């Protein structure tokens, strides 16, 4: 191992949709490589470039920068039809695309994975996870069960047919006998996958070797986490999680780059919290009638909180410092980006959750640490500190000293409570609307 390359991870500290796209775009302007290391087209990055909005699902956001090489690592999953479709759409919009490299080890989401995702959710009824329906869970199930299909299989017709047939022998029995669905036919699917394979062939290359060589040559590699810490299959609110390792450790296993090469981990948190799908969310303000529901609606409306992938309205709640401190810990964050601070403008005061009251076997207890017991976590009632609000618009402010005192106090409280320095602050949707503080 040689060279002084930089490995920078950008990871969400909440339940996703923290505005990572903007941070990756900013940090990515110094990067030579941008890597997706987990998840698939369940992710949605919105990037605004020259007034144009781009919603990316499968592609790393670095693809919009022609001097960057975008990499889909082995830990990510690829829906070939979605990926080829996204590439075509960007080309049609006249975007000059950068270089793309796809790991041959990445697993493939086939149409039957989506089907399984949907029927499983329906069968779970009230216990459903609220997945994006993109087949992510079933693809990772096949990976762990060792009958998955990988990107390299898309490049070899006879081999792909054997793999799909072997997989469908099991999958069709599950579809028919467990979910009372019709079985899936191999033929049309194999042909469609092979056509995508031909389109993707020029991009398939040994991504781990490429990235390690680049780091040897002093390149900057940015690892962009899909989803977020609280949706990580190990460290999140299991089972209401996605099926991959979104946390910073996943950047290593999901790309073939060792931990000693990671030089910075930037955690991204929104100035409040949102979540899509089911599962516990202690600071949520529900849509029920009454003051809380109205404040939740207010945040959703002012923050334009609709899912990029699903279009679903996001659940909304106040900033949760129990979650952000926990997330900064499990990711080993060097610093933090706080996004969408401008959305909070106009509130007379702003609650911040500093602890939970949780029901344990011994009775109710107050804690500042995130409970590892999922039932305790589900019982958590937030304990709030009330911080002063501000009414002056802060949109587009790029200098910390120019923020109203109350907004500065808010940021300083977030960093103290999260035990992590806030180095970047988002003050609006535009690319330039960002405050760069002490860069770590
Ligand atoms: P899946 O990843 O589609 O299996 O969905 C599992 C959970 O993760 C659901 O609650 C989804 O709403 C959530 N999820 C998946 N991807 C994202 C994302 O990019 N942002 C926010 N939530 C997500």
């Amino acid at each position: 191992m040689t060279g002084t390359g930089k490995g920078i991870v950008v990871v969400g500290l909440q339940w996703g949709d923290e505005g990572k796209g903007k941070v990756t775009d900013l940090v990515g302007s110094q990067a030579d490589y941008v890597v997706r290391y987990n998840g698939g087209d369940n992710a949605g990055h919105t990037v605004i470039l020259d007034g144009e909005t781009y919603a990316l699902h499968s592609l790393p956001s670095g693809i919009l920068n022609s001097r960057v090489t975008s990499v889909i690592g082995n830990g990510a999953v690829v829906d070939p039809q979605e990926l080829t479709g996204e590439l075509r759409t960007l080309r049609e919009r006249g975007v000059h695309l950068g270089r793309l490299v796809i790991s041959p080890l990445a697993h493939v989401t086939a149409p039957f994975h989506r089907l399984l995702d949907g029927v499983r959710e329906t069968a779970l009824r009230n216990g459903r996870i609220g997945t994006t329906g993109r087949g992510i869970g079933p693809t990772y199930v096949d990976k762990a069960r060792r009958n998955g299909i990988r990107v390299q299989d898309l490049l070899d017709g006879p081999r792909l047919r054997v793999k799909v047939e072997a997989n469908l022998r099991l999958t069709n029995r599950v579809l028919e006998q467990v979910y009372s669905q019709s079985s899936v036919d191999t033929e049309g699917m194999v042909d469609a996958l092979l056509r995508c394979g031909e389109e993707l062939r020029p991009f398939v290359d040994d991504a781990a070797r490429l990235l390690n060589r680049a780091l040897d040559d002093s390149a900057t590699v940015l690892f962009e986490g899909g989803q977020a810490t609280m949706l990580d299959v190990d460290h999140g609110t299991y089972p209401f999680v996605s099926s991959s390792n979104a946390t910073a450790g996943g950047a290593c296993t999901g790309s073939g780059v060792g931990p000693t090469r990671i030089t910075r981990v930037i955690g991204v948190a929104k100035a409040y919290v949102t979540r899509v799908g089911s599962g516990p969310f202690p600071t949520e303000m529900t849509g029920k009638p009454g003051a809380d529901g109205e404040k939740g609606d207010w945040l959703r409306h002012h923050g334009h909180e609709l899912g990029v992938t699903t279009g679903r309205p996001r659940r909304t709640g106040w900033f949760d410092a129990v979650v952000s401190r926990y997330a900064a810990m499990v990711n080993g964050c060097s610093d933090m980006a706080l996004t969408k601070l401008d959305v909070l403008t106009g509130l007379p005061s702003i609650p911040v959750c500093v602890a939970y009251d949780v029901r344990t076997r011994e009775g109710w207890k107050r804690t500042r640490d995130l409970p590892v017991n999922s039932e305790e976590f589900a019982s958590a009632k937030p304990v709030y500190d009330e911080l002063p609000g501000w009414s002056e618009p802060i949109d587009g402010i790029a200098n910390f000293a120019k923020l109203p005192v109350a907004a500065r106090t808010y940021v300083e409280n977030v960093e103290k409570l999260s035990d992590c320095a806030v180095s970047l602050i988002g003050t609006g949707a535009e690319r330039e609307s960002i405050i760069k503080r002490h860069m770590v």
Side-chain angles (χ1 to χ4, degrees):
M1 203 174 81
T2 55
T4 51
K6 287 193 203 132
I8 304 171
V9 183
V10 175
V11 61
L13 297 182
Q14 296 157 335
W15 280 277
D17 309 312
E18 295 91 351
K20 292 184 290 285
K22 186 172 183 182
V23 177
T24 352
D25 184 43
L26 177 84
V27 185
S29 61
Q30 308 140 31
D32 305 295
Y33 294 79
V34 175
V35 186
R36 279 283 315 267
Y37 60 84
N38 74 302
D41 62 336
N42 50 347
H45 297 292
T46 312
V47 183
I48 302 174
L49 198 62
D50 301 329
E52 289 272 309
T53 304
Y54 299 92
L56 302 177
H57 297 283
S58 302
L59 287 163
S61 55
I63 197 77
L64 299 182
N65 186 336
S66 55
R67 54 163 287 278
V68 166
T69 300
S70 294
V71 178
I72 298 180
N74 58 279
V77 294
V78 173
D79 184 324
Q81 271 152 337
E82 287 298 315
L83 182 59
T84 49
E86 217 165 280
L87 281 167
R88 254 178 262 134
T89 307
L90 287 182
R91 280 199 206 103
E92 278 161 21
R93 284 179 73 178
V95 180
H96 186 58
L97 300 182
R99 188 176 158 215
L100 175 66
V101 173
I102 307 169
S103 167
L105 308 178
H107 278 250
V108 166
T109 301
F112 58 84
H113 289 122
R114 282 194 177 214
L115 188 62
L116 279 168
D117 197 357
V119 292
R120 182 167 186 272
E121 281 286 274
T122 309
L124 282 171
R125 295 164 184 261
N126 290 341
R128 66 178 174 272
I129 290 161
T131 71
T132 58
R134 302 291 176 121
I136 304 300
T139 310
Y140 281 106
V141 166
D142 277 353
K143 174 177 177 175
R145 199 162 43 197
R146 293 163 290 186
N147 66 345
I149 299 159
R150 297 192 292 176
V151 165
Q152 58 187 282
D153 302 325
L154 299 178
L155 310 181
D156 180 334
R159 172 167 151 186
L160 180 68
R161 190 159 279 110
V162 169
K163 297 240 167 171
V164 172
E165 277 168 4
N167 188 302
L168 284 183
R169 271 197 291 279
L170 179 66
T171 300
N172 275 334
R173 283 176 65 185
V174 173
L175 281 171
E176 285 167 352
Q177 291 170 24
V178 180
Y179 297 112
S180 309
Q181 299 288 314
S182 335
S183 60
V184 176
D185 176 39
T186 318
E187 270 325 299
M189 191 189 309
V190 169
D191 291 344
L193 288 173
L194 282 173
R195 273 196 301 277
C196 293
E198 280 318 304
E199 265 188 73
L200 297 178
R201 186 184 290 278
F203 307 118
V204 180
D205 201 356
D206 183 347
R209 194 164 301 282
L210 174 84
L211 293 171
N212 280 286
R213 282 208 183 120
L215 286 162
D216 286 346
D217 289 343
S218 306
T220 296
V221 179
L222 183 85
F223 299 88
E224 88 181 329
Q227 295 76 54
T229 306
M230 301 307 282
L231 292 172
D232 181 284
V233 68
D234 286 282
H235 300 290
T237 45
Y238 190 91
F240 301 101
V241 291
S242 194
S243 300
S244 65
N245 283 117
T247 41
C252 295
T253 53
S255 70
V257 166
T260 50
R261 313 212 81 163
I262 305 297
T263 50
R264 181 179 178 190
V265 178
I266 309 173
V268 186
K270 197 143 56 179
Y272 49 98
V273 182
T274 62
R275 174 167 202 177
V276 283
S278 339
F281 176 1
T283 63
E284 178 176 19
M285 290 176 286
T286 59
K288 292 184 201 122
D292 253 15
E294 278 155 33
K295 283 184 196 142
D297 288 343
W298 186 91
L299 273 182
R300 191 172 307 109
H301 178 70
H302 279 257
H304 307 291
E305 296 296 351
L306 286 178
V308 178
T309 304
T310 58
R312 290 183 286 186
R314 294 176 183 146
R315 299 159 67 191
T316 45
W318 300 124
F319 189 84
D320 186 337
V322 179
V323 164
S324 61
R325 192 170 51 252
Y326 164 79
M329 173 186 80
V330 294
N331 288 296
C333 286
S334 11
D335 55 314
M336 189 172 151
L338 189 69
T339 59
K340 295 184 103 168
L341 186 65
D342 53 300
V343 173
L344 298 180
T345 303
L347 291 165
S349 67
I350 311 168
V352 169
C353 172
V354 294
Y356 297 151
D357 284 333
V358 293
R359 194 177 45 234
T360 68
R361 289 165 78 91
E362 295 81 39
W364 286 89
K365 279 196 181 145
R366 184 157 292 188
T367 176
R368 275 166 46 84
D369 293 328
L370 193 118
V372 284
N373 180 308
S374 55
E375 283 183 18
E376 287 182 12
F377 186 66
S379 77
K381 295 192 189 319
V383 178
Y384 288 115
D385 263 4
E386 202 75 32
L387 298 178
W390 60 92
S391 53
E392 309 88 314
I394 61 167
D395 305 59
I397 290 183
N399 181 341
F400 189 66
K402 297 228 165 93
L403 284 179
V405 178
R408 273 183 274 154
T409 307
Y410 188 82
V411 174
E412 282 156 3
N413 270 280
V414 163
E415 67 185 350
K416 198 164 75 210
L417 292 164
S418 310
D419 217 358
C420 188
V422 173
S423 57
L424 298 166
I425 302 160
T427 56
E430 289 301 320
R431 205 180 195 185
E432 301 73 31
S433 303
I434 197 151
I435 297 171
K436 295 173 204 164
R437 272 173 100 208
H438 31 253
M439 298 296 278
V440 180

